[in-house]
């Protein structure tokens, strides 16, 4: 095998290795991002539920009293 062919194979092998490393990093970053999104959605859902409960309690306190004239 000539020196040129060995250099070309070495460059291609290095490129493929670097692409594999980069792909692995991207996959792990996407996993972390998906987990963060799930946690954020859970927190938003919890906050919305709390907010709805408080609004309902306020509505009940304001409008569920009996009219004394009735």
């Amino acid at each position: 095998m000539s020196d040129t062919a060995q250099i070309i194979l070495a460059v291609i092998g290095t490129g493929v290795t670097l692409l594999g490393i980069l792909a692995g990093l991207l996959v792990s970053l996407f996993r972390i991002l998906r987990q963060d999104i799930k946690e954020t959605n859970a927190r938003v859902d919890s906050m919305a539920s709390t907010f709805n409960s408080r609004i309902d309690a306020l509505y009940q306190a304001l409008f569920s009293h009996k009219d004394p004239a009735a």
Side-chain angles (χ1 to χ4, degrees):
M1 190 182 291
S2 68
D3 290 339
T4 305
Q6 287 179 347
I7 292 171
I8 290 171
L9 286 176
V11 168
I12 291 172
T14 303
V16 168
T17 302
L18 290 174
L19 283 175
I21 292 170
L22 181 61
L25 288 172
L26 287 174
V27 166
S28 67
L29 285 174
F30 281 128
R31 272 194 204 119
I32 291 168
L33 182 60
R34 274 189 248 128
Q35 184 61 34
D36 286 347
I37 289 171
K38 283 181 185 178
E39 290 171 4
T40 302
N41 283 340
R43 288 181 63 199
V44 168
D45 290 344
S46 174
M47 290 169 65
S49 177
T50 301
F51 179 74
N52 285 339
S53 295
R54 289 181 179 179
I55 292 294
D56 186 52
L58 178 62
Y59 179 83
Q60 292 299 323
L62 290 173
F63 299 110
S64 67
H65 62 278
K66 300 225 178 212
D67 187 7

